[in-house]
Amino acid sequence: MTAEKFDVIVVGAGPAGSAAALTMAKEGVDVALIERGETPGAKNVFGGVVYQWPLEELVPNFWEKAPIERRVVDHRLVIMSKESSFTISYRDDYFAQNACGGFTALRTKFDPWLAQKAEEAGALLITGMAVDDVIIENGRVVGVTTGKGRENELYASAIVAADGVLSTVLKKAGIRGPPAPHEVALGVKEIIELPSETIEARFNLKKGVGARLDYLGYVTSGRAGGGFVYTNSNSLSVGVAILLSDLIELKIKPYELLDWFKSHPAVSPLIEGGKVKEYQAHLIPEGGIDSIPPLVSKGVLAVGDAAMLCLYPEGTNMAMASGMLAGRALARAKKLNDFSDSSLFEYQRLMESSYVVREHKRKKRYNEVLRESQRFFNEYPEMITQIMRELLVVDGLEKSVKHQRARETIRDKVGYLRLLKDFYSEVWSVLPW
Amino acid sequence: MVGPTLVKSISRKIDERIFVNRYNIHKESHLHVDQSMCEKCEHKPCTYSCPVDNYVWDEETKRLTVYYEGCVECGACVVVCPYHKITLEYPPLGRGINYRFG
């Protein structure tokens, strides 16, 4: 059997890979989409929210047929301290239109759906096939191997590395190795089953719409991390994420952090009586712009988690956008019949002027803030809840005295200048907005 | 091809947690550990960072036992090993963890 040759091989049928394959197949590119799981999504984990962009560009009117669990109409940010919490909620039924406020999803439903779109457009989807090496000729990656022997070699004019945060393609091609502990967070999550009526009653929802609760502050023992509770149709996605460098120092087991989170008074009543249906874990790129490897090198285009593109809480949309742009650059290369790196560099150019790289530039201190600022994960939440507790207990002490005490607490614990600077710049690196 | 199997033995505490997961266990481990540095490794972060407790250090035999069967293929072990002695080669043929929800 002779080795197969395609225009492009996409390694990994997650959101990035399927977006790339779909974009190319629509333009008549001969593309193979290889997935190591039995089905797309079988190996994948995410928090749970997919956004409108760029899905609407990939699949027009996606809201009519995508496997949406619930359209998010209530966005809650919960600032959590050890014992209490302070919640900001923005609820807007406008978000239900066209799922423009995002929607919750399960990867084992969403990923096969998007991969199927690529297949329908003409991509060849191969599942249950793990890439174990790349074929290099004259310093360029010309194919991949999926086992020993020539029958397990696949060739292409270009390769899309959409194989996740631990990308085998990028490692074997010598583009980047595994990330450093401070560049990734470990997310652990449970799918907790509850009747849909119970979810709707607990979260104050109507049928089909949902709430996302993002917990910031003292979620992972005062270290950089966060937690979430997202509503699916008849289950909740409940999880925490912590920087691996912090986890190493804390010497605590990841599931102990999850259990602590689940027992917090701001979480436990929401999940009470639910049945755990799955326990999951995944690494999340958190390195910010400095962790992004060369997007085009040796005939390989890096997309999604493989390209370390993720800014809390946006990962899936960054993945799909990068895949889409890589797909466009490759479709252009096919038309020009020029797959050289200088032609493929179009992907880099498209990325530079896109939301994806611009957002990474805007949050250029993202990783530093996560690593250095204990204030957001410990001091501020503690301070806010302490002040609120004092203000809300009516005990005969005048409010003016309480306000003065609050000012003193702020001055002594952080200082006004620090507070101003944090509010002006740093906090926008960790907020989901 | 071996059909999906559930991890049945409740011998370790973590097994109660991963019992709900669906695995299609491969006959060979996809985790490879070069144990030459383990004894010298001060904190052994693989033994507490792994979300499914795959790595257990035996102080008597000075060996690391790797329970690859319950692995969720997250790769935390690869990243936390201070000597970069752990490699994860994804299992072939769709074997390993097979999420039902994701």
Side-chain angles (χ1 to χ4, degrees), chain A residues 36 43 255 259 278-279, chain B residues 17 48 51 53 73 95 100:
Chain A
R36 72 183 181 92
K43 301 287 184 180
Y255 52 82
D259 288 344
E278 194 160 80
Y279 171 62
Chain B
R17 201 176 268 274
Y48 56 85
D53 285 349
E73 297 158 37
R95 303 269 166 79
R100 291 175 295 137

Side-chain angles (χ1 to χ4, degrees), chain A residues 137-152:
Chain A
E137 279 174 17
N138 301 321
R140 195 183 154 86
V141 180
V142 295
V144 295
T145 64
T146 61
K148 299 260 183 303
R150 183 135 174 88
E151 68 278 11
N152 293 314

